[in-house]
Amino acid sequence: MTTTALRRKRADITIIITVIAMTLFGIVMIYSASVILGHEIFRDGQLFFKKQILSALIGVTAMVVMANIDYRIWQKYAAWMLGITLVLLLSVFFLSRGEINGAHRWVDIGPLSFQPSELGKLTFLMYVSAWLARRQEQMHDIVGTFLPFAAVLTIISFLLLKQPDFGTLAVFFAAAVSIYLVAGMTWQQFVLGSSGVCLALLAILSEPYRRARITTFLNPTSDTSGISWHVNNIAIAIGSGGWFGLGFGASGQKRLFLPEPHTDSIFAVITEELGFMVGALVVVAFIFLAYRGFRIALRSQDVFGRLLAVGITSWFAFQAFLNLGSMAHLVPLVGVPLPFISYGGTNLIISLAAIGVLLNISRQGSDEPVKNEAPERRNSAVDRRAEARRTADRRRAA
């Protein structure tokens, strides 16, 4: 599609409004949730608030840039995307700033500090989407398609577990599998993959601290000085807010009772201070974002765009589900931030950049859902439509 055609179709304005609103709301809530923690540790109650504003400005810039880059260019560099993902995940073992909360997830390069796995989410989804888009006619091939996919996902999983970062691994896995399902997973591959996942979960749960999280999930009254302390204080915060909350800034649980009140547990602060009604609006915002993202996927003009839109949307939807589910005690407590709302520079910047990619896919999509044709017919139809647009653009230019 030409530059003229790109300018003619606007990006999905509802996604832009939703994401910007969540980001601004997150900044406000970070100010409230982190003021005591920032003062206690850094003698600056506004430290996290100011850092998040800077990250938001960088992230919005990245979103605008990515929204104006033809998303299909990333398909050409699929192998590079896989290489970048592996280098990023390996970097924490060589450039780590040291262990933080029992994990090696951050690296320092001069004054720059970031979490490589966040960027790795986007590059890995670009790789998986590009690779499966090229193998549409071989999706039934277990040896040539499914096993290589499973092998790459196993390597990624191993590197994330060594950090360890089970929450991020769950997001990687869910988004990648969502792409494969849409690309055309067969029932034989589904059965084989499910068996492998069950065996992997048994191995993962062999770690005592992971078993403790499952035990706490099933029995919140156990280990009240450890993991249960976190779970119970989250429940107290959410229950204290009622329908309309205690008032902005009035949270009692953020006073060094909640674990990570400005990051993983920020939803508990939101519901305690602003109430169930505002918390419900946050949930609705993520449901709406997922709806618009999958809608963009349905209207994508090519397989790569469709798969990438599904991957990015699944990433945000599943990560939000893990965070909100942990707060509501629907799933075991996992350490993942709430997209666009929790504190975290790398997470916010990369998330906004990914939204930019999604917006570019929407700019080049159809006004109606693309029919699920056979791969060769679908690709030829896409080529004919693209050629027709280019011919029309040349005539207008003349």
Side-chain angles (χ1 to χ4, degrees):
M1 185 176 289
T2 64
T3 304
T4 303
L6 275 175
R7 281 197 293 264
R8 191 173 62 249
K9 192 174 187 300
R10 292 195 308 171
D12 191 323
I13 190 67
T14 60
I15 285 185
I16 298 174
I17 293 172
T18 303
V19 169
I20 294 299
M22 285 197 291
T23 301
L24 293 174
F25 177 68
I27 291 173
V28 172
M29 291 311 304
I30 286 168
Y31 172 79
S32 175
S34 67
V35 62
I36 295 175
L37 185 66
H39 179 74
E40 288 289 330
I41 299 176
F42 302 103
R43 301 302 178 193
D44 183 357
Q46 298 184 11
L47 177 66
F48 298 108
F49 170 70
K50 291 182 287 190
K51 284 188 173 183
Q52 192 74 352
I53 290 176
L54 177 61
S55 298
L57 292 174
I58 297 172
V60 169
T61 302
M63 181 177 70
V64 172
V65 171
M66 297 298 280
N68 286 281
I69 296 176
D70 190 334
Y71 69 90
R72 287 169 292 195
I73 194 173
W74 309 116
Q75 187 174 12
K76 301 176 182 178
Y77 303 104
W80 282 98
M81 292 301 166
L82 177 60
I84 290 171
T85 303
L86 294 174
V87 169
L88 286 168
L89 296 182
L90 283 167
S91 65
V92 298
F93 302 110
F94 303 100
L95 302 172
S96 173
R97 65 164 76 168
E99 188 175 285
I100 300 177
N101 294 331
H104 294 269
R105 301 174 188 169
W106 291 265
V107 300
D108 290 314
I109 302 177
L112 178 65
S113 177
F114 70 104
Q115 193 171 352
S117 60
E118 293 297 332
L119 178 56
K121 290 176 188 174
L122 181 56
T123 56
F124 182 60
L125 295 183
M126 287 178 172
Y127 163 74
V128 172
S129 301
W131 189 72
L132 290 177
R134 289 199 300 266
R135 299 194 62 82
Q136 285 292 282
E137 297 180 13
Q138 293 85 36
M139 288 302 301
H140 64 282
D141 187 352
I142 291 179
V143 175
T145 302
F146 179 76
L147 291 183
F149 170 82
V152 171
L153 193 55
T154 299
I155 294 171
I156 297 294
S157 301
F158 175 78
L159 293 175
L160 286 169
L161 287 174
K162 292 297 291 182
Q163 294 187 14
D165 193 350
F166 183 74
T168 300
L169 167 59
V171 175
F172 264 82
F173 188 88
V177 171
S178 297
I179 292 173
Y180 203 110
L181 285 169
V182 173
M185 179 181 286
T186 64
W187 70 267
Q188 295 96 332
Q189 293 169 348
F190 179 81
V191 171
L192 185 60
S194 299
S195 302
V197 170
C198 290
L199 292 174
L201 285 175
L202 290 175
I204 290 170
L205 293 176
S206 64
E207 290 288 341
Y209 81 93
R210 295 193 185 104
R211 287 201 306 272
R213 292 197 174 191
I214 300 296
T215 302
T216 300
F217 173 68
L218 298 175
N219 182 15
T221 61
S222 66
D223 188 24
T224 54
S225 62
I227 297 175
S228 291
W229 166 266
H230 296 169
V231 173
N232 292 331
N233 277 285
I234 289 170
I236 291 171
I238 294 176
S240 299
W243 287 98
F244 303 104
L246 303 177
F248 181 75
S251 168
Q253 294 304 110
K254 72 183 180 185
R255 299 176 183 275
L256 308 182
F257 291 103
L258 278 176
E260 308 293 339
H262 58 311
T263 56
D264 300 347
S265 302
I266 195 167
F267 185 74
V269 177
I270 291 171
T271 52
E272 184 181 9
E273 294 190 349
L274 304 181
F276 173 81
M277 298 301 293
V278 174
L281 286 176
V282 172
V283 175
V284 169
F286 280 108
I287 293 173
F288 179 76
L289 181 62
Y291 161 72
R292 299 300 294 189
F294 288 127
R295 184 176 182 272
I296 289 171
L298 285 172
R299 286 162 168 73
S300 175
Q301 293 291 303
D302 67 308
V303 178
F304 173 65
R306 180 177 301 109
L307 298 183
L308 186 54
V310 166
I312 292 173
T313 305
S314 300
W315 158 15
F316 294 132
F318 190 71
Q319 184 167 321
F321 169 75
L322 281 181
N323 181 280
L324 297 172
S326 297
M327 298 298 102
H329 200 62
L330 298 176
V331 297
L333 190 64
V334 289
V336 294
L338 189 59
F340 311 109
I341 295 177
S342 291
Y343 172 79
T346 309
N347 174 61
L348 181 60
I349 292 169
I350 301 304
S351 295
L352 288 171
I355 288 294
V357 177
L358 193 62
L359 291 173
N360 187 265
I361 298 172
S362 78
R363 294 179 69 178
Q364 303 190 54
S366 170
D367 292 331
E368 298 293 335
V370 177
K371 293 182 180 180
N372 190 22
E373 302 165 324
E376 61 275 9
R377 291 178 59 194
R378 182 169 58 235
N379 290 334
S380 62
V382 170
D383 291 339
R384 287 195 300 271
R385 286 192 292 267
E387 181 60 33
R389 286 193 296 270
R390 286 193 290 269
T391 301
D393 290 334
R394 284 194 295 268
R395 289 176 179 173
R396 278 191 291 270

